[in-house]
Amino acid sequence: MRVNEPRPLGRTSVRTTAMSFGAAPIGNFLRPFSEPMAMEMVSQAWDLGIRHFDTAPLYGHGLSEHRLGHALRGYPRDQYVISTKVGRRLEPAAPGTFDSGLWVEPAPFAAHYDYSYDGIMRSVEESLQRMLTDHVDILLMHDVDHYTHGDAQPEMFRQAVEEGFPALVRLREEGVVSAIGFGVNETDVCLEAVRRTDADCVLLAGRYTLLEQDPLDELLPLCEKRGVSVILGGVYNSGVLATGAIEGAKFNYAPAPQEILRRTARIHAICRAHDVALPAAALGFAAAHPSVASVCVGSRTPEQQSGSAALFGARIPGQLWDDLRDAGLLRPDAPTP
């Protein structure tokens, strides 16, 4: 498996690469990123063979899109794929006057949910301006999940499907975007979105990993049946599958529970027995499902990024997967390399 392996995206003409660049970190996720380092990360990703770059207005409240667009400006536009998202509008606001959540030193814009038809259209226009481009290859409805909206989720999801998604369809018909879908962190929401819309793809973060395989029940079979491609994010479960079961290891951006640490330690022990790095197994497993078009990795340093790229191509003996299944750590129906 190669980082730059071209893969089709659903029924569209878009071609992604097996590994894609997650641009959340360069939007100052959890800690600041300098402008030169952000540029360096994008440049290094290009040199590694990555040609799919994923961002969103939320990431740094416009900062990620801005930095990514400027970093890619010198490369031929027909040689790379940009995916971004809709569902939030950004409005100018003085620093410190709005909640920036996990984004440190964001751009001076407050984010407001807007899944309406007009809101989607305005959001896309603003994203195009921030990224210095005339089109987006992949456009995703963002965060229509329970974690984000709580009790309001059913109404937000209804609006996204009934009002916002027709805007995505129109943009696809007009050639402003080439592929449309949803980007969420919850399997059940992703499943309902595929059932109810003509999505080309979905970006599912953190739910199909060596630690979580519930999407094999319904979501992945449905995507395979309909020709809907899956882009996987969060395949390290936000850290624990990269670091192993160490003190302070993160799972879903919080300290990993003891059960997760124990399960990770068991997986890690089998990987060590086959002289395979744990994160290499995490990447290889995620990329193996036939519906998965790309694995999106967000790195914080050039060393992390080059390390993930090297691990992506690691050879993994088939016996490792057999041993994980025998130990009850991998579902029997989970495809493996």
Side-chain angles (χ1 to χ4, degrees):
M1 186 169 58
R2 295 174 290 112
V3 166
N4 64 347
E5 177 185 319
R7 293 186 173 185
L9 192 79
R11 301 149 295 182
T12 74
S13 61
V14 176
R15 294 294 180 269
T16 181
T17 45
M19 181 172 162
S20 44
F21 178 90
I26 67 170
N28 290 358
F29 182 63
L30 299 178
R31 59 178 181 264
F33 235 92
S34 71
E35 294 285 340
M37 181 59 73
M39 301 300 108
E40 181 182 347
M41 292 294 290
V42 176
S43 177
Q44 183 197 45
W46 185 277
D47 292 341
L48 290 169
I50 293 171
R51 294 295 183 269
H52 177 181
F53 300 84
D54 176 74
T55 184
L58 173 65
Y59 302 165
H61 292 221
L63 186 61
S64 175
E65 286 187 325
H66 174 82
R67 285 173 164 173
L68 182 64
H70 281 73
L72 290 172
R73 191 180 181 195
Y75 298 103
R77 183 62 185 88
D78 62 351
Q79 293 185 19
Y80 61 88
V81 166
I82 290 177
S83 55
T84 193
K85 306 176 185 76
V86 289
R88 291 177 177 87
R89 292 285 315 287
L90 301 180
E91 297 180 359
T97 64
F98 56 90
D99 180 9
S100 59
L102 299 175
W103 310 97
V104 179
E105 298 176 13
F109 297 91
H112 304 284
Y113 299 117
D114 192 341
Y115 296 103
S116 69
Y117 185 97
D118 290 342
I120 298 302
M121 289 298 194
R122 290 195 295 269
S123 177
V124 171
E125 182 177 4
E126 292 160 0
S127 288
L128 293 175
Q129 292 173 355
R130 281 190 290 270
M131 294 190 292
L132 304 173
T133 186
D134 65 338
H135 68 282
V136 170
D137 303 282
I138 305 168
L139 189 63
L140 304 169
M141 196 75 74
H142 199 194
D143 284 348
V144 286
D145 50 44
H146 297 90
Y147 175 83
T148 302
H149 298 294
D151 292 341
Q153 190 274 339
E155 173 57 23
M156 290 293 191
F157 184 79
R158 183 208 63 77
Q159 185 184 42
V161 169
E162 297 179 7
E163 300 177 28
F165 198 78
L168 271 63
V169 173
R170 177 180 172 183
L171 290 165
R172 183 177 60 183
E173 291 172 348
E174 293 178 348
V176 179
V177 303
S178 300
I180 58 177
F182 290 77
V184 294
N185 295 355
E186 295 172 6
T187 302
D188 60 338
V189 174
C190 205
L191 175 63
E192 190 63 18
V194 173
R195 284 173 172 163
R196 295 182 56 180
T197 69
D198 181 31
D200 299 306
C201 59
V202 293
L203 194 164
L204 180 64
R207 302 285 74 81
Y208 187 66
T209 72
L210 282 177
L211 290 169
E212 299 186 52
Q213 292 136 43
D214 288 349
L216 288 168
D217 291 337
E218 296 183 85
L219 175 61
L220 289 173
L222 180 62
C223 287
E224 193 169 6
K225 179 181 178 180
R226 291 194 178 181
V228 175
S229 282
V230 179
I231 302 162
L232 289 178
V235 298
Y236 297 144
N237 280 119
S238 83
V240 69
L241 287 176
T243 63
I246 62 173
E247 183 177 354
K250 293 294 191 294
F251 177 79
N252 291 346
Y253 307 109
Q258 286 301 311
E259 174 55 33
I260 292 295
L261 292 175
R262 286 192 290 268
R263 189 175 181 87
T264 300
R266 293 176 64 200
I267 294 171
H268 201 177
I270 292 173
C271 288
R272 282 196 298 265
H274 292 279
D275 197 26
V276 172
L278 175 63
L283 289 168
F285 172 76
H289 195 282
S291 289
V292 173
S294 188
V295 176
C296 188
V297 179
S299 302
R300 295 197 171 278
T301 67
E303 293 75 21
Q304 279 187 3
Q305 184 163 247
S306 61
S308 288
L311 292 169
F312 203 81
R315 292 185 178 276
I316 301 175
Q319 189 61 47
L320 181 146
W321 309 115
D322 293 339
D323 290 350
L324 287 174
R325 290 190 182 94
D326 291 343
L329 296 168
L330 192 65
R331 283 178 47 156
D333 56 341
T336 51

